[in-house]
Amino acid sequence: MKYDSKVMELKMKNSLVITNTDAKLTLKKVKRLMAITNKILEKKDDGWLDFLLDWLDKNIIQKRTNYPRKKDDLVQIKYISLRWNRLKQLPIEFFNLRKIETLELNNNVLESIPDEICNLKNLKNLNLNINNLNMLPHSIVKLKKLEMINIKNNKRLSLNKEQIRWLTELKQKGCQITYDKYKFNLGE
């Protein structure tokens, strides 16, 4: 009987040693994977910035349009005016500039605004005056910090009920909304 208990005790110790060794090996593998993951994450994925700078260089026709020419500056931009440049559309990458507070797109020929505009969570001023917009993206209602929006002089612009409700709520909170009053009723 003593023999059986000794054997059992040895088996348990061996089992614990094996389990402890397996745990150490697993921990080493996890640490290696974490190191690899951290190296990958350290690399900046800024190809979209190169694309955007190239797009701006090719599409901005107004010499007085001022925008950053360096990646670090572009990522930090809070105010950008792209007015009077005959822009028909904006690339989706533009809406990765998440620090923008003022965006002036007036006097272009924009036909649409991508849904990604909702990424601009800090946007306070949005000027879309005098474009060719047919509709606003559904996601625009996620812009909660707007203090000014101008959607006037977009002859074909139509708004859905949710967007009218959103604009009405913004107006009640003090947002300055410039729009064609003959087209939309925001509770005047």
mmCIF file of all heavy atoms in Angstrom, residues 121-141:
data_model
loop_
_atom_site.group_PDB
_atom_site.id
_atom_site.type_symbol
_atom_site.label_atom_id
_atom_site.label_comp_id
_atom_site.label_asym_id
_atom_site.label_seq_id
_atom_site.Cartn_x
_atom_site.Cartn_y
_atom_site.Cartn_z
ATOM 1 N N LYS A 121 -15.543 63.152 -36.037
ATOM 2 C CA LYS A 121 -16.291 63.336 -34.780
ATOM 3 C C LYS A 121 -16.101 64.719 -34.166
ATOM 4 O O LYS A 121 -16.928 65.168 -33.389
ATOM 5 C CB LYS A 121 -15.873 62.280 -33.749
ATOM 6 C CG LYS A 121 -16.049 60.857 -34.203
ATOM 7 C CD LYS A 121 -17.452 60.395 -34.020
ATOM 8 C CE LYS A 121 -17.534 58.910 -34.309
ATOM 9 N NZ LYS A 121 -18.706 58.535 -35.020
ATOM 10 N N ASN A 122 -15.011 65.411 -34.500
ATOM 11 C CA ASN A 122 -14.737 66.728 -33.933
ATOM 12 C C ASN A 122 -15.239 67.870 -34.813
ATOM 13 O O ASN A 122 -15.026 69.041 -34.496
ATOM 14 C CB ASN A 122 -13.235 66.904 -33.689
ATOM 15 C CG ASN A 122 -12.736 65.956 -32.623
ATOM 16 O OD1 ASN A 122 -13.326 65.856 -31.556
ATOM 17 N ND2 ASN A 122 -11.668 65.240 -32.910
ATOM 18 N N LEU A 123 -15.896 67.539 -35.918
ATOM 19 C CA LEU A 123 -16.332 68.548 -36.875
ATOM 20 C C LEU A 123 -17.345 69.499 -36.245
ATOM 21 O O LEU A 123 -18.371 69.072 -35.717
ATOM 22 C CB LEU A 123 -16.928 67.871 -38.107
ATOM 23 C CG LEU A 123 -17.142 68.755 -39.325
ATOM 24 C CD1 LEU A 123 -15.819 69.333 -39.822
ATOM 25 C CD2 LEU A 123 -17.806 67.954 -40.440
ATOM 26 N N LYS A 124 -17.030 70.793 -36.311
ATOM 27 C CA LYS A 124 -17.909 71.824 -35.759
ATOM 28 C C LYS A 124 -18.526 72.684 -36.859
ATOM 29 O O LYS A 124 -19.641 73.174 -36.708
ATOM 30 C CB LYS A 124 -17.126 72.728 -34.797
ATOM 31 C CG LYS A 124 -16.657 72.017 -33.549
ATOM 32 C CD LYS A 124 -15.861 72.953 -32.665
ATOM 33 C CE LYS A 124 -15.350 72.208 -31.440
ATOM 34 N NZ LYS A 124 -14.487 73.057 -30.619
ATOM 35 N N ASN A 125 -17.783 72.893 -37.939
ATOM 36 C CA ASN A 125 -18.243 73.758 -39.030
ATOM 37 C C ASN A 125 -18.109 73.020 -40.359
ATOM 38 O O ASN A 125 -17.021 72.580 -40.716
ATOM 39 C CB ASN A 125 -17.416 75.046 -39.074
ATOM 40 C CG ASN A 125 -17.474 75.796 -37.768
ATOM 41 O OD1 ASN A 125 -18.524 76.261 -37.364
ATOM 42 N ND2 ASN A 125 -16.336 75.894 -37.099
ATOM 43 N N LEU A 126 -19.224 72.930 -41.074
ATOM 44 C CA LEU A 126 -19.254 72.226 -42.360
ATOM 45 C C LEU A 126 -19.944 73.110 -43.383
ATOM 46 O O LEU A 126 -21.132 73.423 -43.247
ATOM 47 C CB LEU A 126 -19.993 70.895 -42.216
ATOM 48 C CG LEU A 126 -20.184 70.069 -43.489
ATOM 49 C CD1 LEU A 126 -18.839 69.704 -44.121
ATOM 50 C CD2 LEU A 126 -20.995 68.807 -43.182
ATOM 51 N N ASN A 127 -19.209 73.519 -44.405
ATOM 52 C CA ASN A 127 -19.769 74.372 -45.439
ATOM 53 C C ASN A 127 -19.835 73.597 -46.748
ATOM 54 O O ASN A 127 -18.808 73.291 -47.350
ATOM 55 C CB ASN A 127 -18.927 75.643 -45.600
ATOM 56 C CG ASN A 127 -19.620 76.680 -46.456
ATOM 57 O OD1 ASN A 127 -20.572 76.390 -47.185
ATOM 58 N ND2 ASN A 127 -19.138 77.909 -46.374
ATOM 59 N N LEU A 128 -21.066 73.301 -47.169
ATOM 60 C CA LEU A 128 -21.317 72.582 -48.427
ATOM 61 C C LEU A 128 -22.069 73.466 -49.414
ATOM 62 O O LEU A 128 -22.643 72.973 -50.391
ATOM 63 C CB LEU A 128 -22.119 71.308 -48.145
ATOM 64 C CG LEU A 128 -21.444 70.289 -47.235
ATOM 65 C CD1 LEU A 128 -22.414 69.191 -46.834
ATOM 66 C CD2 LEU A 128 -20.220 69.697 -47.908
ATOM 67 N N ASN A 129 -22.095 74.761 -49.169
ATOM 68 C CA ASN A 129 -22.822 75.721 -49.997
ATOM 69 C C ASN A 129 -22.341 75.661 -51.453
ATOM 70 O O ASN A 129 -21.140 75.519 -51.720
ATOM 71 C CB ASN A 129 -22.608 77.127 -49.417
ATOM 72 C CG ASN A 129 -23.417 78.193 -50.115
ATOM 73 O OD1 ASN A 129 -24.521 77.948 -50.576
ATOM 74 N ND2 ASN A 129 -22.850 79.381 -50.189
ATOM 75 N N ILE A 130 -23.290 75.774 -52.362
ATOM 76 C CA ILE A 130 -23.041 75.845 -53.814
ATOM 77 C C ILE A 130 -22.236 74.631 -54.307
ATOM 78 O O ILE A 130 -21.058 74.712 -54.636
ATOM 79 C CB ILE A 130 -22.358 77.158 -54.227
ATOM 80 C CG1 ILE A 130 -23.111 78.366 -53.668
ATOM 81 C CG2 ILE A 130 -22.270 77.247 -55.752
ATOM 82 C CD1 ILE A 130 -22.436 79.707 -53.902
ATOM 83 N N ASN A 131 -22.916 73.518 -54.344
ATOM 84 C CA ASN A 131 -22.396 72.279 -54.914
ATOM 85 C C ASN A 131 -23.516 71.632 -55.719
ATOM 86 O O ASN A 131 -24.555 72.258 -55.942
ATOM 87 C CB ASN A 131 -21.901 71.340 -53.804
ATOM 88 C CG ASN A 131 -20.487 71.653 -53.380
ATOM 89 O OD1 ASN A 131 -19.546 71.399 -54.106
ATOM 90 N ND2 ASN A 131 -20.343 72.221 -52.182
ATOM 91 N N ASN A 132 -23.317 70.416 -56.134
ATOM 92 C CA ASN A 132 -24.337 69.675 -56.889
ATOM 93 C C ASN A 132 -24.843 68.473 -56.112
ATOM 94 O O ASN A 132 -25.126 67.421 -56.694
ATOM 95 C CB ASN A 132 -23.761 69.203 -58.239
ATOM 96 C CG ASN A 132 -23.463 70.351 -59.172
ATOM 97 O OD1 ASN A 132 -24.110 71.391 -59.110
ATOM 98 N ND2 ASN A 132 -22.479 70.178 -60.030
ATOM 99 N N LEU A 133 -24.944 68.619 -54.808
ATOM 100 C CA LEU A 133 -25.355 67.496 -53.967
ATOM 101 C C LEU A 133 -26.815 67.122 -54.220
ATOM 102 O O LEU A 133 -27.686 67.981 -54.283
ATOM 103 C CB LEU A 133 -25.175 67.840 -52.489
ATOM 104 C CG LEU A 133 -23.744 68.076 -52.031
ATOM 105 C CD1 LEU A 133 -23.721 68.601 -50.610
ATOM 106 C CD2 LEU A 133 -22.929 66.804 -52.149
ATOM 107 N N ASN A 134 -27.053 65.814 -54.356
ATOM 108 C CA ASN A 134 -28.414 65.290 -54.480
ATOM 109 C C ASN A 134 -28.964 64.921 -53.116
ATOM 110 O O ASN A 134 -30.152 65.045 -52.861
ATOM 111 C CB ASN A 134 -28.436 64.046 -55.375
ATOM 112 C CG ASN A 134 -28.109 64.379 -56.808
ATOM 113 O OD1 ASN A 134 -28.620 65.345 -57.353
ATOM 114 N ND2 ASN A 134 -27.232 63.599 -57.405
ATOM 115 N N MET A 135 -28.079 64.424 -52.271
ATOM 116 C CA MET A 135 -28.475 64.022 -50.924
ATOM 117 C C MET A 135 -27.264 64.052 -50.013
ATOM 118 O O MET A 135 -26.128 64.076 -50.476
ATOM 119 C CB MET A 135 -29.110 62.634 -50.930
ATOM 120 C CG MET A 135 -28.226 61.536 -51.451
ATOM 121 S SD MET A 135 -29.159 60.018 -51.563
ATOM 122 C CE MET A 135 -27.929 58.875 -51.025
ATOM 123 N N LEU A 136 -27.542 64.054 -48.740
ATOM 124 C CA LEU A 136 -26.474 63.953 -47.750
ATOM 125 C C LEU A 136 -26.353 62.486 -47.357
ATOM 126 O O LEU A 136 -27.341 61.754 -47.395
ATOM 127 C CB LEU A 136 -26.808 64.803 -46.520
ATOM 128 C CG LEU A 136 -26.893 66.310 -46.745
ATOM 129 C CD1 LEU A 136 -27.329 67.011 -45.468
ATOM 130 C CD2 LEU A 136 -25.571 66.863 -47.240
ATOM 131 N N PRO A 137 -25.171 62.052 -46.962
ATOM 132 C CA PRO A 137 -25.043 60.650 -46.548
ATOM 133 C C PRO A 137 -25.858 60.385 -45.285
ATOM 134 O O PRO A 137 -26.021 61.268 -44.445
ATOM 135 C CB PRO A 137 -23.547 60.485 -46.284
ATOM 136 C CG PRO A 137 -23.045 61.859 -46.035
ATOM 137 C CD PRO A 137 -23.914 62.789 -46.820
ATOM 138 N N HIS A 138 -26.390 59.194 -45.172
ATOM 139 C CA HIS A 138 -27.193 58.829 -44.000
ATOM 140 C C HIS A 138 -26.400 58.997 -42.707
ATOM 141 O O HIS A 138 -26.943 59.383 -41.682
ATOM 142 C CB HIS A 138 -27.703 57.384 -44.111
ATOM 143 C CG HIS A 138 -28.675 57.199 -45.233
ATOM 144 N ND1 HIS A 138 -29.932 57.750 -45.226
ATOM 145 C CD2 HIS A 138 -28.548 56.551 -46.410
ATOM 146 C CE1 HIS A 138 -30.550 57.443 -46.345
ATOM 147 N NE2 HIS A 138 -29.735 56.720 -47.084
ATOM 148 N N SER A 139 -25.108 58.727 -42.765
ATOM 149 C CA SER A 139 -24.274 58.763 -41.562
ATOM 150 C C SER A 139 -24.056 60.169 -41.020
ATOM 151 O O SER A 139 -23.567 60.337 -39.914
ATOM 152 C CB SER A 139 -22.920 58.121 -41.853
ATOM 153 O OG SER A 139 -22.185 58.936 -42.750
ATOM 154 N N ILE A 140 -24.439 61.187 -41.762
ATOM 155 C CA ILE A 140 -24.180 62.563 -41.324
ATOM 156 C C ILE A 140 -24.870 62.867 -39.996
ATOM 157 O O ILE A 140 -24.432 63.730 -39.240
ATOM 158 C CB ILE A 140 -24.573 63.592 -42.412
ATOM 159 C CG1 ILE A 140 -23.843 64.912 -42.164
ATOM 160 C CG2 ILE A 140 -26.085 63.755 -42.510
ATOM 161 C CD1 ILE A 140 -23.809 65.829 -43.352
ATOM 162 N N VAL A 141 -25.913 62.131 -39.685
ATOM 163 C CA VAL A 141 -26.641 62.371 -38.423
ATOM 164 C C VAL A 141 -25.791 62.013 -37.202
ATOM 165 O O VAL A 141 -26.154 62.357 -36.081
ATOM 166 C CB VAL A 141 -27.990 61.603 -38.381
ATOM 167 C CG1 VAL A 141 -28.898 62.066 -39.509
ATOM 168 C CG2 VAL A 141 -27.783 60.114 -38.406
#
